[in-house]
């Protein structure tokens, strides 16, 4: 089946945050309104960005960035949510396959089988997964954007587009076959470049084997707070691709070696006894 | 040779050994579940990870209690384990023929701790400390430490697991199954070994303790 993706065009986004709300509503991720009556001391931290960070119940949020360029202030908006990597750090380190690739290419997970180890949180190049966690007992459950495939709330299986895309009023979000969206994104970048945005680029086409959320940006990803060349961390590779296979080999060889010693030593002891 | 016995491990040491090794095995098994993908389903809903933390608390607290009650015994054990001489080199050379073929000819007489036991002490001390440092960081700093640090902690925890886990198999095998280690099990359960075993396996030590008796 053709891989699916979301195309986010930052130049069309007005940061209305309809996607944020639709995501919460569809996925039943209620959150208290941060007021003092609700026990949350809300404070003005100098930005319209709200809530300030992703959380186990906030899988998608818009990041607001202010930059000064050519004596003018620009106010930039970026989507912050799981990128649904082809080479996904989280899938690599998940100890029991709770995180996996959906047949349409993006990264889904089974919350029921999640062990709460939190390895995915540290392995994600985009700092996306979040978990509830009791720091003493270690009991935890991880959450992130499921590409609207949460069991019981699976829009994709119904042939619908994700909730965020459905709600976007400006057409900044689009859902479709990944190949089509890559082509469309490139066209959009070209249009921007001819209009004078020389740094315009399509983010996500090749990063980490290809992301399933593509970004049309009018400037460098760094300015938008995105890693310019996201990588699987050296620790992930050293741990999962080197030391764990070595561990299985060492364990196996030790047992075989001891078994051989036992056979030889016992035969000798018997000979000696006679 | 009469059938009298000599004391190898006093009771507090045996109690320490069994509680500490019990915690270690618990940590080994609950860690193994995260290490082998096919076993990962057992860790669902965090409960083996809770047991890992209970095991870790025992693993840390029990030796500390022992150290407070009996610092001299700990100092003595460490001194024995970390004092090496030419007989230890001799042991290393003679060990393969001895442990496979039962050939004692090249084996120098050993003290209270033979070279293999010294090496196991070394592994327990070094990797025990590494387990605790890396484990405590992963446990309590999970929400605050930088992701890269936490990932390298798992990496070092895994190296410790591989080395000490493989050596744990060797340790159990020698203590329980090896045809020549006839009295090792009774030494760590009841505390005593036969004089014959002590003389053959820990010649220098046996000479020391029997001399002491004659003088007394
Ligand atoms: C004070 C001692 C120890 C502490 C505090 C500790 C703590 C931890 C923590 C926090 C984790 C990460 C997963 C989680 O959050 O549950 C972990 C994983 C693990 N632990 Fe320990 N641990 C200790 C000792 C040991 C020992 C003695 C062994 C084995 C003999 C062991 C084997 C493992 C293994 C194999 C893993 C999984 C690593 C992986 O996923 O690759 N741990 N431990
Ligand atoms: S962005 Fe992070 S959580 Fe999402 S697929 Fe990539 S590694 Fe996994």
């Amino acid at each position: 089946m053709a891989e699916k993706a979301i195309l986010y065009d930052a130049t069309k986004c007005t940061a209305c945050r309809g996607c944020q709300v639709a995501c919460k509503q569809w996925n039943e991720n209620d959150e208290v309104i941060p007021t003092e009556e609700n026990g949350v001391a809300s404070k003005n931290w100098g930005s319209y960005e709200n809530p300030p960070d992703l959380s186990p119940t906030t899988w998608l949020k818009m990041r607001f960035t202010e930059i000064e360029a050519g004596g003018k202030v620009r106010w930039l908006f970026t989507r912050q949510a799981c990128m649904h990597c082809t080479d996904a750090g989280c899938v690599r380190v998940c100890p029991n396959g709770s995180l996996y690739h959906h047949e349409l290419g993006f990264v889904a997970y089974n919350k029921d089988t999640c062990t709460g180890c939190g390895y995915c949180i540290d392995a994600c190049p985009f700092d996306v997964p979040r978990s509830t966690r009791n720091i003493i007992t270690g009991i935890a459950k991880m959450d992130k954007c499921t590409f609207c495939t949460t069991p019981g709330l699976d829009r994709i299986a119904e042939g619908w587009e994700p909730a965020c895309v459905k709600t976007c009023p400006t057409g900044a979000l689009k859902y479709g076959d990944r190949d089509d969206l890559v082509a469309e994104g490139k066209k959009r970048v070209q249009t921007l470049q001819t209009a004078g945005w020389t740094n315009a680029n399509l983010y996500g086409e090749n990063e980490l084997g290809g992301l399933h959320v593509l970004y049309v940006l009018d400037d460098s990803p760094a300015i938008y707070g995105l890693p310019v060349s996201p990588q699987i961390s050296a620790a992930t590779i050293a741990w999962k691709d080197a030391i764990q296979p070595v561990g299985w080999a060492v364990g196996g060889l030790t047992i075989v070696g001891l078994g051989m010693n036992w056979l030889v030593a016992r035969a000798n002891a018997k000979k000696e006894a006679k | 040779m009469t059938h009298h016995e000599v004391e190898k491990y006093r009771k507090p040491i045996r109690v320490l050994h069994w509680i500490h090794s019990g915690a270690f095995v618990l940590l080994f098994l609950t860690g193994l579940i995260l290490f082998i993908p096919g076993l990962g389903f057992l860790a669902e809903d965090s409960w083996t990870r809770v047991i890992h933390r209970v095991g870790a608390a025992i693993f840390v607290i029990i030796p500390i209690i022992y150290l407070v009650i009996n610092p001299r015994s700990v100092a003595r054990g460490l001194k024995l384990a970390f004092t090496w001489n030419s007989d230890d080199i001799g042991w290393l050379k003679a060990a393969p023929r001895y442990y496979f073929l039962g050939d004692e000819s090249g084996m120098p007489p050993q003290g209270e701790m033979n070279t293999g036991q010294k090496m196991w002490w070394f592994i327990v001390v070094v990797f025990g400390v590494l387990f605790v440092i890396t484990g405590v960081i992963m446990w309590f700093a999970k929400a605050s430490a930088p992701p890269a640090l936490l990932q390298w902690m798992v990496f070092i925890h895994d190296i410790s697991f591989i080395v000490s886990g493989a050596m744990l198999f060797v340790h159990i095998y020698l203590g329980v199954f090896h045809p020549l280690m006839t009295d090792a099990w009774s030494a760590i359960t009841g505390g005593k070994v036969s004089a014959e075993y002590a003389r053959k396996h820990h010649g220098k030590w046996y000479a020391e303790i029997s001399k002491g008796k004659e003088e007394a």
Side-chain angles (χ1 to χ4, degrees):
Chain A
M1 238 181 287
E3 293 193 0
K4 298 285 184 188
I6 291 173
L7 177 67
Y8 166 72
D9 188 338
T11 64
K12 290 186 179 171
C13 175
T14 62
C16 73
R17 291 179 288 205
C19 53
Q20 246 177 256
V21 176
C23 175
K24 274 190 174 291
Q25 193 178 29
W26 180 264
N27 292 296
E28 299 173 357
N29 279 332
D30 295 345
E31 192 147 40
V32 292
I33 295 171
T35 61
E36 268 153 46
E37 295 85 77
N38 283 336
V40 184
S42 61
K43 62 168 192 275
N44 183 345
W45 56 292
S47 172
Y48 275 112
E49 192 172 329
N50 186 46
D53 197 6
L54 296 174
S55 79
T57 53
T58 301
W59 298 347
L60 163 63
K61 70 173 263 280
M62 299 311 297
R63 184 193 282 129
F64 290 47
T65 319
E66 283 161 48
I67 56 155
E68 250 190 81
K72 276 198 259 172
V73 173
R74 294 198 66 212
W75 204 22
L76 303 177
F77 313 126
T78 342
R79 176 188 160 100
Q80 207 186 339
C82 176
M83 299 291 204
H84 298 281
C85 319
T86 299
D87 186 1
C90 60
V91 174
R92 284 198 190 216
V93 298
C94 183
N96 68 350
S98 292
L99 280 151
Y100 60 94
H101 281 102
H102 188 278
E103 55 177 358
L104 295 175
F106 41 83
V107 175
Y109 63 95
N110 182 346
K111 193 171 175 179
D112 289 339
T113 62
C114 171
T115 69
C117 68
Y119 295 158
C120 53
I121 295 172
D122 301 320
C124 174
F126 299 99
D127 183 26
V128 165
R130 293 289 187 275
S131 78
T132 54
R133 174 169 287 259
N134 179 318
I135 207 80
I136 301 299
T137 63
I139 293 174
K141 279 282 179 194
M142 167 281 213
D143 269 304
K144 70 169 189 71
C145 158
T146 65
F147 216 102
C148 281
T149 59
T150 310
L153 302 170
D154 193 334
R155 297 178 61 92
I156 303 300
E158 293 294 325
W160 302 339
E161 51 196 8
C164 54
V165 178
K166 175 83 184 164
T167 208
C168 181
T170 65
L173 286 171
K174 265 189 117 169
Y175 170 70
D177 286 353
R178 189 170 182 277
D179 292 341
D180 297 346
L181 293 181
V182 169
E184 191 172 332
K186 281 184 173 159
K187 234 199 270 161
R188 206 32 219 157
V189 166
Q190 228 159 34
T191 312
L192 287 167
Q193 279 177 342
T194 29
W197 298 96
T198 44
N199 285 338
N201 65 93
L202 179 67
Y203 186 79
E205 186 191 357
N206 301 312
E207 281 77 4
L208 294 164
L211 308 179
H212 292 80
V213 181
L214 302 156
Y215 288 66
V216 171
L217 305 173
D218 59 20
D219 211 330
S220 151
I223 289 178
Y224 278 89
L226 293 163
V228 175
S229 75
Q231 301 289 339
I232 299 295
S233 73
T236 297
I237 292 166
W239 160 33
K240 282 287 154 176
D241 297 340
I243 204 70
Q244 281 208 336
V246 165
W248 300 326
V250 168
L253 288 174
T254 308
I255 291 171
V256 170
L258 293 176
M260 270 161 49
N261 176 278
W262 188 71
L263 292 175
V264 175
R266 196 180 54 145
N268 265 296
K270 275 197 183 142
K271 222 173 16 188
E272 221 118 294
K274 271 186 208 154
Chain B
M1 182 59 58
T2 54
H3 252 96
H4 80 275
E5 293 181 319
V6 294
E7 184 167 60
K8 183 77 178 21
Y9 296 118
R10 288 179 312 106
K11 187 152 187 192
I13 294 190
R14 284 181 275 136
V15 171
L16 170 71
H17 174 268
W18 286 113
I19 300 180
H20 202 236
S21 61
F24 190 91
V25 169
L26 202 63
L27 288 161
F28 178 89
L29 293 175
T30 49
L32 189 72
I33 286 170
L34 289 182
F35 192 83
I36 299 202
L39 295 177
F41 71 95
L42 291 167
E44 279 167 26
D45 292 337
S46 307
W47 69 276
T48 58
R49 295 180 40 255
V50 176
I51 298 175
H52 202 78
R53 281 155 174 75
V54 174
I58 301 172
F59 187 83
V60 173
I61 291 167
I62 292 301
I64 291 179
I65 293 179
Y66 187 84
L67 180 69
V68 170
I69 299 177
N70 219 338
R72 286 239 224 93
S73 158
V74 175
R76 189 171 161 276
L78 288 173
K79 197 174 155 216
L80 282 174
F82 288 86
T83 311
W84 283 55
N85 57 35
S86 58
D87 282 347
D88 294 302
I89 310 301
W91 184 95
L92 288 173
K93 286 190 188 139
R97 285 190 65 77
Y98 177 74
Y99 285 93
F100 275 94
L101 306 174
D103 176 2
E104 290 176 39
S105 54
M107 187 54 91
Q110 294 290 308
E112 181 172 350
M113 247 184 234
N114 72 29
T115 312
Q117 289 168 317
K118 289 179 186 176
M119 293 193 294
W120 178 232
W121 262 71
F122 180 83
I123 286 169
V124 168
V125 171
V126 170
F127 290 106
V129 169
L130 282 179
F131 270 128
V132 175
I133 295 173
T134 56
V136 164
I137 292 174
M138 289 190 284
W139 182 352
F140 295 106
K142 181 72 186 175
S144 48
L149 176 78
L150 289 166
Q151 285 208 302
W152 286 113
M153 291 302 108
V154 186
F155 179 77
I156 298 172
H157 210 74
D158 270 0
I159 291 180
S160 312
F161 171 68
I162 294 162
V163 177
S164 64
M167 287 302 134
L168 174 69
F169 290 161
V170 176
H171 175 71
I172 294 175
Y173 169 75
L174 286 174
V176 182
F177 298 108
H178 194 283
L180 293 177
M181 304 302 124
T182 48
D183 291 15
W185 178 255
S186 64
I188 199 64
T189 49
K192 297 210 160 59
V193 296
S194 69
E196 175 71 11
Y197 182 89
R199 192 178 58 75
K200 279 181 92 167
H201 290 251
H202 301 276
K204 275 194 280 185
W205 174 64
Y206 185 68
E208 267 165 46
I209 55 173
S210 34
K211 193 169 105 221
K213 272 214 187 90
E214 275 158 30
E215 277 168 3

